[in-house]
Amino acid sequence: MAGYFPRWTLVRPTASDTVVGPYQRLPWPHMFWMGLQHVVAMFGATVIAPLLMGFNPNVAILMSGIGTLIFFVCVGGRVPSYLGSSFAFIGGVIAVTGYAGQGINANLGPALGGIIACGALYAAIGLVVAVSGTAWIEKLMPPVVTGAIVAVIGLNLATVAIKGIGGSTFETSFALATVVVIGLVAVSTGGMVQRLMLLVGVLVSYAAYLLVTSYGGIGKPIDFQAVANAPWFGVPAFASPSFTAAGISLIAPVALILVAENLGHVKAVAAISGQNMDRYIGRAFFGDGVATMLSGAAGGTGVTTYAENIGVMTVTRIFSTLAFVVAACIAIVLGFSPKFGALIMTIPAAVLGGVSIVVFGLIAIAGVRIWVGQRVDLTNNKNLIVASAILIAGTGDLTLHLGDFALHGIGTATFGGIALHAVLTACERRSTARAADAGRDPHAA
């Protein structure tokens, strides 16, 4: 493995359970299908996230592919990961732009500036980690803090999900039906279908909506004129960023979430692949940060490593980093298809509203899972105070005004929670030390 990139050795599978390591590869026809499978795995979230924020789906898919290639280069081809649209940006983007939940977001500029600032902060953290390691991150952001911050991202979006459904009884009913469909896919299927529950749920609900509105005479029918007029191939509609205090203050703090998320993903990949990847964590942060900056500059969403693709690797036991190069190239081709983007934009608001309820709820539950998985002691007063303060400040969108600068809900909850935990930890240690001193016998030999 001399040199910046490893030398991938060819492995010819002799059985379905053949393990292919990060520095190995299958024959190229097999690699194509593996890459395509990773595209399918990331597709649902990478398309749904930009739709919930009003981004152009073609740009989001294109930049996810380019971002994955940037990540691949930054880690020297040694960490198998795909970079897709991050849901962590949704709350900040909607707050900055005032997006109503349907169609293309007409006020993306300030959000894109915030995404670029977030990527710059993320990349800077990556450089620090490359030199100093990750111990300080784990100390600064223990599970009680990261779990609460992740949970509050979902809770902060609750009203957005409900308002995006629409006011009619039909739209509300269909949104709830979409939730039921996704739930049925989640509990009644298995394998890849279950892993793609959001995508499958959208497809089934979309088909049902099409039938009901076209042949049942209920609701607003889907208009396919834009799909018919769109060319098969063309350059997507890029957007330009603008930099505002509100955009930066709301979205830049997301970098801390991405750090915690990416750190967990890299350690998970290392565990299932049997490779120690700690030395590449700083470079992984840096690559993800640079990819996020470039995506924001082009009009795309912020990106992050995807747990969905880690799931694919767990099932297939194929960890070759070259599979993600193939997946990235396929995504780039899809990004240059306006007809594909136009078709995505026909997804009804009621269906997206139902997906939003599930997705935002899952984000909140993901924070709880961090507490459970890391066995956070919620009988400890310090943990209770920190978690409760973060949850209420973020959910209630507590805004801190500092002159012309405003730090909104999630940012206030993030930085406030980190500071509160540090202060209470210091006080707890002093109290413990005083109790220990008081318990000592001063006359003991």
Side-chain angles (χ1 to χ4, degrees), residues 206-207 209-211 213-214 220-225 227 343 345-348:
Y206 184 100
Y209 186 97
L210 183 62
L211 290 173
T213 56
S214 299
K220 182 181 178 181
I222 299 173
D223 184 2
F224 289 101
Q225 190 60 48
V227 180
L343 180 63
M345 293 302 294
T346 64
I347 298 176

Side-chain angles (χ1 to χ4, degrees), residues 20 34 47 184 188 360 384 406:
V20 179
M34 278 307 307
V47 168
L184 290 174
S188 302
F360 299 164
L384 284 174

Side-chain angles (χ1 to χ4, degrees), residues 390-407:
I390 292 174
L391 290 175
I392 298 303
T395 303
D397 201 27
L398 178 64
T399 302
L400 179 64
H401 294 278
L402 301 171
D404 294 331
F405 182 83
L407 190 64

Side-chain angles (χ1 to χ4, degrees), residues 110-419:
L112 296 176
I115 290 172
I116 293 173
C118 175
L121 176 60
Y122 192 9
I125 293 173
L127 293 177
V128 173
V129 169
V131 175
S132 63
T134 61
W136 65 275
I137 295 177
E138 295 168 353
K139 183 178 180 180
L140 189 68
M141 297 175 61
V144 65
V145 174
T146 54
I149 293 172
V150 171
V152 88
I153 291 174
L155 295 174
N156 185 268
L157 293 167
T159 55
V160 175
I162 303 305
K163 290 178 180 177
I165 291 173
S168 73
T169 301
F170 171 75
E171 289 174 321
T172 302
S173 300
F174 214 93
L176 294 175
T178 300
V179 174
V180 173
V181 169
I182 295 173
L184 290 174
V185 174
V187 302
S188 302
T189 63
M192 284 302 297
V193 174
Q194 188 180 63
R195 292 185 181 279
L196 298 173
M197 61 180 179
L198 293 178
L199 179 60
V200 174
V202 167
L203 292 176
V204 172
S205 299
Y206 184 100
Y209 186 97
L210 183 62
L211 290 173
V212 170
T213 56
S214 299
Y215 301 104
I218 307 174
K220 182 181 178 181
I222 299 173
D223 184 2
F224 289 101
Q225 190 60 48
V227 180
N229 294 338
W232 280 102
F233 294 101
V235 178
F238 297 110
S240 300
S242 61
F243 296 91
T244 65
I248 293 172
S249 66
L250 273 168
I251 298 176
V254 173
L256 299 179
I257 303 300
L258 299 182
V259 164
E261 189 175 53
N262 200 342
L263 178 63
H265 287 173
V266 173
K267 286 186 176 294
V269 171
I272 62 176
S273 66
Q275 301 282 336
N276 188 330
M277 298 181 179
D278 285 356
R279 74 184 76 173
Y280 305 118
I281 290 176
R283 287 160 63 176
F285 291 172
F286 179 78
D288 200 350
V290 172
T292 292
M293 292 174 65
L294 184 60
S295 181
T301 63
V303 295
T304 186
T305 51
Y306 259 23
E308 290 89 336
N309 298 93
I310 296 174
V312 172
M313 287 187 283
T314 303
V315 171
T316 62
R317 308 296 294 166
I318 297 173
F319 306 100
S320 176
T321 52
L322 290 179
F324 294 94
V325 174
V326 175
C329 292
I330 294 173
I332 290 171
V333 171
L334 289 175
F336 283 107
S337 176
K339 191 173 288 292
F340 165 77
L343 180 63
I344 295 299
M345 293 302 294
T346 64
I347 298 176
V351 174
L352 281 179
V355 174
S356 297
I357 292 174
V358 175
V359 169
F360 299 164
L362 288 174
I363 294 172
I365 295 301
V368 178
R369 289 181 61 184
I370 291 175
W371 289 343
V372 174
Q374 297 296 322
R375 298 181 180 178
V376 174
D377 182 7
L378 292 179
T379 64
N380 178 279
N381 285 340
K382 178 186 70 176
N383 290 341
L384 284 174
I385 296 298
V386 170
S388 60
I390 292 174
L391 290 175
I392 298 303
T395 303
D397 201 27
L398 178 64
T399 302
L400 179 64
H401 294 278
L402 301 171
D404 294 331
F405 182 83
L407 190 64
H408 292 265
I410 295 175
T412 304
T414 299
F415 291 116
I418 291 173

Side-chain angles (χ1 to χ4, degrees), residues 91-99 107-111 244 246-248 250-251:
V93 169
I94 291 177
V96 170
T97 63
Y99 181 59
N107 190 33
L108 276 181
T244 65
I248 293 172
L250 273 168
I251 298 176

